[in-house]
Amino acid sequence: MDDSFRDRRLFLKLISAAGASTVFPACGREPSQESAFFKDTTAFIPRGSTNLEARLENMGGFITPAEQFFVRNNDRSLDVDADAYRLVVEGDAVETPLALSMADLVKMPSHTVFSTLECGGNQRSFFSSIVGQPARGTQWGRGAVGMAVWTGTPLRRVLLRAGMKESAKDVQLVGLDEGAPEAGFRRVMPVEKAMDADTLLAYTMNGAPLPKDHGYPLRALVPGWVGSSSIKWLGRIEVSSEKIWGRNNTTSYVLIGDDYAPEGEARGRVATVQSIKSVLALPWPAVLKAGRQLIRGYAHSPHAPIDCVWWSADDQRTWQRARIIDPVMRWAWARFEFEWQAAPGTHRLSTRAEDSGGHAQPDWIPHNEKGYLFNMPLPHPVTVR
């Protein structure tokens, strides 16, 4: 049995347990002149005019329904005509430039990936409140993250179809959002990541066509990397025999600070791979009743599956082990839970994740100007009445 078939069986089992209405949301409304989105925004925390932060306390399951999934845009969400759509593949490192329709892409062999997707700036606001050094950019809390089931054509199949040359070094993905910086949001990855079997050109999310806010009709899904790499409304793929430098790997999506040595033309270390994190599925701050409480949360790592999660109720002086709730998968987040005897008063609950590759959340991380990849254990404020 191949991995794709096994994933589909698990997917069907999960949606059966959750209820189809949870996983397959209704189509979104058309955006009004006042909204940059197609989905109903009332359940989200607005972050500027084009971003929606999810409320983790509303996510009870393993899969994040599309209507609860966070939105990170650089312009208004697009309404792309799928019938007229073409994906252009070009560059000096391909033998045969392509212009593929959605029908062409859907005919190619598909692959399904269970993957967390997280903005590189998620938890940025905690650089100010915990580290004491503010960072520039959208002041995300904890909710620029979600977990979905993605199906599409592996990017490697399209690159091979275009006759990618041995000289190929970088692959740049460019979106159709012309109002975004550089007249189409774009990110670069090395050929090795582009050729990974799990790097997708995705056309379904949770078993349904991509919602318009999430890249319909086609987006990239780059598991384990910061969300900006998973370009929405994908319009063009550029394959180059030279290293590609641009806004989003020289000044933006770059960790800039004294602790980050510059890479190539970048001002610091380019933000690519995500960081290991854990969060509680509680409001921030939370109010609970006194007595026994079952506390749940999510943990994820780009490096390896989550192995264990620890929790603390005494300002991280002592730690106890939480229970991991199946399934545990390569790119997906893992749910965890623990029982806490909540006494009246004010408390701070913290969690710390470890993965099977030996990676763990650090006690401290150095500041960077734009606040990427914050992953220190969070002191979650809780009032017990």
Side-chain angles (χ1 to χ4, degrees), residues 359-379:
H359 305 88
Q361 290 180 255
D363 292 326
W364 186 260
I365 60 172
H367 178 262
N368 66 88
E369 288 184 10
K370 296 191 176 182
Y372 296 119
L373 305 182
F374 185 96
N375 70 331
M376 290 166 53
L378 300 177

Side-chain angles (χ1 to χ4, degrees), residues 60 62 295-297 323-328 333-337:
F62 177 61
I295 309 295
R296 288 178 170 156
R323 293 185 296 272
I324 302 294
I325 307 172
D326 287 337
V328 176
W333 64 20
R335 294 180 294 165
F336 63 86
E337 65 182 18

Side-chain angles (χ1 to χ4, degrees), residues 40-45 53-55 58 67-68:
D40 184 347
T41 63
T42 55
F44 295 87
I45 303 169
E53 180 173 338
R55 297 182 185 273
N58 294 338
E67 67 266 27
Q68 294 181 2

Side-chain angles (χ1 to χ4, degrees), residues 245-265:
W245 295 101
R247 172 187 179 272
N248 289 329
N249 64 354
T250 55
T251 59
S252 191
Y253 296 97
V254 175
L255 283 74
I256 302 170
D258 294 340
D259 293 271
Y260 301 100
E263 298 177 351
E265 297 181 18

Side-chain angles (χ1 to χ4, degrees), residues 32-335:
S32 65
Q33 291 183 347
E34 294 79 25
S35 176
F37 313 100
F38 292 87
K39 66 170 64 180
D40 184 347
T41 63
T42 55
F44 295 87
I45 303 169
R47 298 295 184 190
S49 61
T50 60
N51 305 311
L52 300 172
E53 180 173 338
R55 297 182 185 273
L56 297 174
E57 62 270 24
N58 294 338
M59 299 181 192
F62 177 61
I63 297 171
T64 306
E67 67 266 27
Q68 294 181 2
F69 213 96
F70 83 99
V71 179
R72 169 66 174 106
N73 284 350
N74 289 277
D75 193 13
R76 293 170 61 91
S77 290
L78 300 186
D79 186 2
V80 177
D81 181 355
D83 292 333
Y85 172 84
R86 296 294 184 273
L87 173 65
V88 174
V89 185
E90 59 187 6
D92 72 316
V94 297
E95 297 282 0
T96 309
L98 302 174
L100 301 172
S101 68
M102 283 306 303
D104 295 328
L105 290 161
V106 171
K107 288 178 184 176
M108 298 179 71
S110 66
H111 183 54
T112 295
V113 178
F114 289 68
S115 179
T116 305
L117 185 64
E118 181 184 23
C119 177
N122 192 33
Q123 303 189 11
R124 175 183 283 130
S125 64
F126 296 110
F127 268 109
S128 176
S129 60
I130 295 179
V131 178
Q133 292 180 273
R136 293 186 289 116
T138 302
Q139 295 301 299
W140 295 106
R142 305 165 301 134
V145 62
M147 215 300 294
V149 186
W150 313 89
T151 297
T153 301
L155 173 56
R156 68 188 310 273
R157 290 189 176 274
V158 171
L159 297 177
L160 293 174
R161 183 167 174 171
M164 186 176 70
K165 300 176 183 178
E166 290 186 4
S167 63
K169 188 170 187 178
D170 269 359
V171 176
Q172 178 163 253
L173 309 182
V174 184
L176 295 171
D177 47 348
E178 295 181 354
E182 299 179 281
F185 195 77
R186 59 195 65 198
R187 292 251 22 215
V188 177
M189 72 182 84
V191 164
E192 292 76 16
K193 185 62 176 176
M195 293 294 285
D196 188 291
D198 289 337
T199 299
L200 295 185
L201 304 180
Y203 44 74
T204 79
M205 177 183 183
N206 295 343
L210 287 171
K212 294 176 182 178
D213 289 307
H214 297 287
Y216 177 85
L218 191 74
R219 71 170 300 159
L221 186 280
V222 186
W225 278 38
V226 295
S228 57
S229 304
S230 295
I231 298 295
K232 294 192 283 190
W233 312 292
L234 182 63
R236 190 166 77 253
I237 299 173
E238 300 170 354
V239 188
S240 174
S241 57
E242 302 291 336
K243 180 66 181 174
I244 299 174
W245 295 101
R247 172 187 179 272
N248 289 329
N249 64 354
T250 55
T251 59
S252 191
Y253 296 97
V254 175
L255 283 74
I256 302 170
D258 294 340
D259 293 271
Y260 301 100
E263 298 177 351
E265 297 181 18
R267 289 186 56 203
R269 194 185 86 199
V270 181
T272 55
V273 178
Q274 257 293 355
S275 57
I276 183 172
K277 292 185 179 74
S278 62
V279 290
L280 296 176
L282 292 174
W284 185 290
V287 178
L288 301 175
K289 293 181 180 180
R292 176 183 171 276
Q293 294 286 346
L294 182 64
I295 309 295
R296 288 178 170 156
Y298 299 97
H300 53 96
S301 172
H303 311 293
I306 292 295
D307 182 59
C308 64
V309 177
W310 303 88
W311 67 276
S312 173
D314 58 3
D315 287 323
Q316 304 180 25
R317 290 189 295 272
T318 63
W319 296 88
Q320 302 179 63
R321 191 163 184 156
R323 293 185 296 272
I324 302 294
I325 307 172
D326 287 337
V328 176
M329 306 178 72
R330 173 65 182 92
W331 300 113
W333 64 20
R335 294 180 294 165

